[in-house]
Amino acid sequence: MAFKALAAFLGLAAFQVANAALTRRVACADGKNTATNAACCALFPIMDDLQQNLFDNGECTENAHESLRLTFHDSIAISPTKGGGGADGSIAIFDTIEPFFHPNLGTDEIISLQKPIMAKHNISVADFIQFAGAVAISNCPGAPRLPVFLGRKDATSPAPDGLVPEPFHSVQMIVDRMVEASDGAFDAISTVWALAAHTIAAADVLDPTIPRTPFDSTPETFDTQFFLETQLRGTVFPGTGGNQGEVESPLVGEMRLQSDHNFARDDQTACEWQSFVDNQEKIHDRFIDAFSVLTVLGSDQNQLIDCSEVIPTIKPFNGRATFPAGFSNADVEQACAETPFPTLKTDAGPKTTVARVPA
């Protein structure tokens, strides 16, 4: 049922993109850009502002990572029984409330950086958060061009606490939350697709003594190293205490979320997780599918304006997944019984130490 709902949604999106390609383009007031819908012209100066003043002139920076994270924390906060409006901007509109819910800790920093840019432009908070995330990831080689829509309604009340998954939650708890929030569009498999965002992510507050600690060795590239490195043997901490939600990665300087560790080994998801290793096309395409659902949660997608064409072409990643120096297939904790783990090369040099993401 979940796959049918997702397929129907994506089919509609593809139809609209095809229709847009046949529509006469209009010239934007800036004299240099065009769009299939005049409303989308407003996004070009916002994108320029974001690139220049938040993303270091188009770099896959910590601010870019955090902007993508914010899209999820805003959109997933919706429930048919508990409330919340999904991708409605509530996390930034009610910035003295939602950013201080436990799973949202740290989002106050990127919100405070986005708000001055937001204030200069005529755009809803809800649309700005999702657009900023799409612009952010466009700076990371290998990333997909994410869908962009205009017309979401801003929240009038904060989302309730308890709707954003935590890294110490079980696989089933997280999947159940994704299913409920998306009205069945997500299931266990497509939740793995959404977790591809962690290929360019880092932890700031899980262990505040080591901020900006990445989840894989290449946080500046949207590649499949994340899916490889989470399958290396790690040490699981107890479920409570200072390391709650964290697994000790065998790579020095790298952090692994307990939830990611578990998804890579759970019977429902292990084979799907492994299937992303060294499959750049899959991580690219499936993350588009996941984000296409998340970015419009709480809205009627038929009532939104598709401005996806505004996002520029992204630099491709043509490399291959490799074991970090000092590791090999012998270090993999094989969890998928159906398919052997890919045989990959190992990087040369001394054992890999992962650097923190620059501030």
Side-chain angles (χ1 to χ4, degrees):
M1 187 66 175
F3 281 117
K4 289 181 180 178
L6 185 58
F9 180 93
L10 297 174
L12 177 61
F15 174 77
Q16 291 180 331
V17 170
N19 266 1
L22 300 175
T23 304
R24 179 180 297 176
R25 302 183 68 82
V26 297
C28 298
D30 61 11
K32 61 180 181 179
N33 292 297
T34 63
T36 54
N37 189 307
C40 301
C41 289
L43 293 177
F44 289 108
I46 301 175
M47 180 167 60
D48 290 343
D49 202 347
L50 284 166
Q51 295 287 48
Q52 293 169 16
N53 298 307
L54 189 63
F55 302 141
D56 296 338
N57 292 313
E59 297 294 324
C60 189
T61 61
E62 170 73 353
N63 288 342
H65 301 170
E66 288 299 306
S67 292
L68 182 61
R69 179 191 179 212
L70 192 64
T71 66
F72 176 78
H73 284 250
D74 189 47
S75 63
I76 201 63
I78 182 171
S79 165
T81 58
K82 297 178 181 178
D88 62 358
S90 65
I91 196 169
I93 295 168
F94 300 96
D95 58 354
T96 61
I97 300 174
E98 284 191 49
F100 301 97
F101 295 161
H102 190 264
N104 294 339
L105 292 178
T107 58
D108 60 311
E109 296 181 7
I110 191 63
I111 290 169
S112 68
L113 292 172
Q114 286 189 2
K115 277 206 159 185
I117 299 173
M118 205 182 300
K120 291 190 289 182
H121 302 280
N122 184 24
I123 186 173
S124 71
V125 177
D127 286 343
F128 181 91
I129 287 175
Q130 300 300 319
F131 179 59
V135 174
I137 198 174
S138 75
N139 296 320
C140 306
R145 295 175 73 191
L146 293 181
V148 170
F149 296 99
L150 286 179
R152 300 173 186 82
K153 294 181 180 178
D154 277 346
T156 56
S157 60
D161 197 0
L163 297 181
V164 180
E166 300 255 31
F168 56 83
H169 286 167
S170 70
V171 168
Q172 195 57 57
M173 288 174 66
I174 295 172
V175 170
D176 288 347
R177 177 81 276 277
M178 296 289 286
V179 170
E180 183 195 35
S182 66
D183 193 24
F186 276 100
D187 60 7
I189 298 301
S190 46
T191 298
V192 172
W193 305 351
L195 289 171
H198 287 179
T199 184
I200 55 166
D204 283 327
V205 297
L206 191 59
D207 185 341
T209 66
I210 47 171
R212 307 185 314 281
T213 301
F215 297 152
D216 77 359
S217 59
T218 56
E220 73 289 345
T221 305
F222 196 90
D223 59 14
T224 69
Q225 285 296 128
F226 166 71
F227 287 98
L228 164 60
E229 292 169 18
T230 46
Q231 294 189 255
L232 300 175
R233 291 184 181 85
T235 302
V236 181
F237 291 110
T240 59
N243 297 111
Q244 187 179 23
E246 182 184 346
V247 172
E248 186 176 13
S249 170
L251 275 73
V252 176
E254 180 177 286
M255 183 177 290
R256 184 182 304 175
L257 298 184
Q258 182 177 318
S259 51
D260 290 339
H261 181 90
N262 292 341
F263 267 92
R265 290 156 178 79
D266 190 270
D267 289 345
Q268 299 179 80
T269 54
C271 289
E272 184 67 13
W273 195 278
Q274 181 179 295
S275 72
F276 279 91
V277 176
D278 200 31
N279 192 337
Q280 187 65 26
E281 182 179 3
K282 182 168 185 176
I283 192 175
H284 177 281
D285 293 351
R286 296 291 78 78
F287 190 66
I288 294 175
D289 295 346
F291 191 86
S292 295
V293 175
L294 287 166
T295 193
V296 296
L297 287 180
S299 296
D300 179 356
Q301 194 262 342
N302 292 309
Q303 301 301 314
L304 303 180
I305 300 170
D306 187 348
C307 295
S308 304
E309 63 183 353
V310 170
I311 300 297
T313 301
I314 299 170
K315 183 179 179 180
F317 173 73
N318 298 315
R320 302 295 300 270
T322 57
F323 285 107
F327 297 90
S328 68
N329 279 75
D331 298 295
V332 171
E333 188 171 17
Q334 177 72 20
C336 176
E338 299 174 11
T339 309
F341 197 83
T343 299
L344 306 171
K345 294 182 178 180
T346 296
D347 294 336
K351 200 162 188 178
T352 299
T353 297
V354 182
R356 292 188 199 176
V357 174

